[in-house]
């Protein structure tokens, strides 16, 4: 099932620290990610995917709905259980905006932790199953790194350009997707201070 639907919004820009804190719960992040990537699901279906009871997933789904991340899916139900769908494709926030209060800074730290956990989880899946992907995918998938000298404005512009290129490639692969030649790929874009700078006398 395709995750995107006609009423799906592109970005949910969070400005309230309480909203960001609400979605920073590890289980809620995983379930929201699944709803965005895999499409609508019930609490029981998500519970089987994340290894939790339907009671636990039901509670966290209601919390996600309370803060506007998910909603009832209008499609036909299977039985009496509610089916949920994501409202937005992405979540964004401004570190400068939320960083004005201790609550906001704590929420940003929590979300950064969830992002790192997602990266590590995807990396472990890739590392353990890399032989199963096939030679073509084995060559394409992976990680790379570089150390460069940039201004804060330069980093911002680089990020914008990279996301633009990503959008272009996604559009170019539409026909290949129709032929079943694509896979869901996690794309993690990170700009971090280089930890070895002091030790190397930079």
């Amino acid at each position: 099932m395709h995750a995107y639907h006609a009423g799906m919004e592109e970005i949910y820009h969070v400005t309230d620290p309480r909203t960001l804190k609400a979605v920073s719960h590890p289980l809620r992040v995983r379930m929201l990610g699944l709803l965005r990537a895999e499409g609508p699901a019930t609490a029981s279906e998500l519970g089987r995917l994340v290894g939790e009871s339907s009671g636990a997933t039901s509670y966290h789904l209601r919390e996600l709905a309370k803060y506007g991340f998910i909603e009832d899916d209008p499609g036909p139900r299977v039985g009496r259980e509610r089916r949920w769908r994501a409202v937005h494709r992405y979540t964004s926030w401004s570190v400068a905006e939320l960083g004005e209060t201790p609550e906001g800074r704590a929420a940003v730290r929590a979300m950064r932790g969830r992002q790192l956990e997602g990266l590590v989880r995807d990396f472990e899946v890739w590392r353990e199953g890399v032989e199963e992907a096939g030679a073509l995918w084995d060559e394409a998938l992976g990680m790379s790194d570089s150390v460069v000298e940039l201004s804060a404005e330069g980093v911002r512009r680089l990020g914008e350009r990279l996301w633009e290129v990503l959008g272009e490639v996604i559009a170019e692969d539409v026909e290949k997707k129709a032929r079943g030649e694509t896979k869901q790929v996690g794309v993690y874009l990170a700009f971090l201070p280089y930890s070895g700078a002091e030790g190397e006398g930079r």
Side-chain angles (χ1 to χ4, degrees), residues 1-147:
M1 181 179 294
H2 200 292
Y4 299 159
H5 53 80
M8 197 171 198
E9 301 173 23
E10 187 71 12
I11 297 176
Y12 184 7
H13 183 72
V14 175
T15 58
D16 184 351
R18 292 170 296 181
T19 300
L20 191 62
K21 180 181 179 181
V23 78
S24 69
H25 186 283
L27 184 55
R28 293 175 198 167
V29 167
R30 287 196 66 190
M31 292 195 301
L32 179 58
L34 287 168
L35 290 174
R36 287 174 171 174
E38 305 294 340
T42 66
S44 295
E45 290 168 341
L46 289 169
R48 288 191 289 271
L49 290 172
V50 300
E52 295 285 345
S53 69
S54 60
T57 54
S58 291
Y59 167 75
H60 290 295
L61 285 167
R62 290 194 299 271
E63 288 296 295
L64 286 171
K66 174 182 175 182
Y67 287 95
F69 290 95
I70 65 173
E71 63 187 5
D72 279 311
D73 181 51
R77 289 191 178 187
V78 178
R80 300 175 58 185
E81 196 171 5
R82 297 173 76 178
R83 183 170 293 276
W84 299 92
R85 72 179 188 180
V87 178
H88 320 85
R89 297 186 185 186
Y90 308 105
T91 303
S92 73
W93 63 89
S94 167
V95 175
E97 188 176 23
L98 291 175
E100 295 177 354
T101 65
E103 184 181 19
R105 291 191 292 273
V108 169
R109 283 196 299 271
M111 278 304 296
R112 285 173 170 170
R114 300 295 85 78
Q115 289 175 309
L116 179 59
E117 290 167 3
L119 169 61
V120 172
R121 186 166 54 247
D122 283 355
F123 176 80
E124 291 296 338
V125 170
W126 167 69
R127 184 173 64 175
E128 294 301 321
V130 65
E131 296 85 0
E132 302 173 6
L136 184 63
W137 280 98
D138 189 16
E139 182 69 22
L141 297 172
M143 300 179 69
S144 61
D145 61 88
S146 181
V147 179

Side-chain angles (χ1 to χ4, degrees), residues 185-201:
V185 177
V187 179
Y188 294 89
L189 181 59
F191 301 106
L192 304 173
Y194 181 52
S195 60
E198 292 183 5
E200 296 183 5

Side-chain angles (χ1 to χ4, degrees), residues 129-179:
V130 65
E131 296 85 0
E132 302 173 6
L136 184 63
W137 280 98
D138 189 16
E139 182 69 22
L141 297 172
M143 300 179 69
S144 61
D145 61 88
S146 181
V147 179
V148 298
E149 295 280 348
L150 291 173
S151 65
E153 174 64 16
V155 171
R156 186 189 65 78
R157 286 190 288 107
L158 177 59
E160 291 176 351
R161 291 286 301 277
L162 290 174
W163 284 119
E164 288 175 4
V165 171
L166 177 61
E168 293 170 1
V169 175
I170 291 172
E172 292 168 358
D173 269 2
V174 168
E175 292 185 2
K176 292 182 179 179
K177 180 178 180 179
R179 296 195 299 265

